[in-house]
């Protein structure tokens, strides 16, 4: 069996609704956990977390690998490996333009991951 993961596919990538209730409201079903775990695992590496932050906060909504690589004391192939991991986890999309590859965050998936981690209580009466 290949170690390569299929890209993250949540319930409806075009919907703005979260994939599931926040952790603080109910338990995550096993199937949902299996789908979400690769994304969280990809973000568990400090280099990938920084890359994701750089891509998501890029001024034009996308970042060229040529702008990402100099921010790290790592080789180009190592940065490419980390970007591939983010892409395979479904967190970013990539587009080759000539020599360079441009990366864009997938906001729907990031919203779904953030909603899962939300600790806001359900609309409940507060005493």
């Amino acid at each position: 069996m290949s170690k390569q993961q299929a890209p993250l596919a949540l319930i409806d990538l075009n919907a703005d609704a979260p994939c599931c209730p926040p952790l603080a409201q109910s338990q995550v079903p096993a199937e949902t956990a299996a789908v979400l775990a690769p994304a969280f695992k990809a973000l568990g590496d400090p280099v990938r977390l920084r890359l994701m932050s750089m891509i998501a906060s890029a001024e034009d909504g996308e970042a060229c690998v040529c702008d990402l690589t100099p921010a790290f004391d790592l080789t180009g192939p190592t940065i490419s490996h980390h970007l591939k991991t983010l892409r395979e986890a479904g967190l970013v999309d990539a587009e080759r333009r000539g020599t360079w590859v441009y990366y864009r965050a997938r906001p729907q998936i990031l919203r779904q991951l953030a909603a899962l981690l939300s600790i806001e209580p359900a609309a409940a009466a507060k005493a």
Side-chain angles (χ1 to χ4, degrees), residues 25-68:
Q25 291 180 11
S26 67
Q27 295 181 9
V28 177
E31 302 81 24
T32 302
V35 170
L36 296 175
F40 285 116
K41 183 176 179 181
L43 293 173
D45 180 90
V47 171
R48 289 192 289 268
L49 185 59
R50 286 185 58 209
L51 284 167
M52 189 72 233
S53 175
M54 293 170 71
I55 295 165
S57 66
E59 190 172 313
D60 295 331
E62 64 182 11
C64 176
V65 68
C66 60
D67 296 324
L68 298 171

Side-chain angles (χ1 to χ4, degrees), residues 2-45:
S2 172
K3 290 181 80 173
Q4 233 176 7
Q5 299 286 330
L8 182 65
L10 299 180
I11 295 172
D12 184 354
L13 298 179
N14 295 318
D16 286 330
C19 69
C20 42
L23 294 171
Q25 291 180 11
S26 67
Q27 295 181 9
V28 177
E31 302 81 24
T32 302
V35 170
L36 296 175
F40 285 116
K41 183 176 179 181
L43 293 173
D45 180 90

Side-chain angles (χ1 to χ4, degrees), residues 109-122:
I109 291 175
L110 294 176
R111 270 190 229 102
Q112 290 178 341
L113 295 174
L116 180 69
L117 295 177
S118 173
I119 57 169
E120 295 300 318

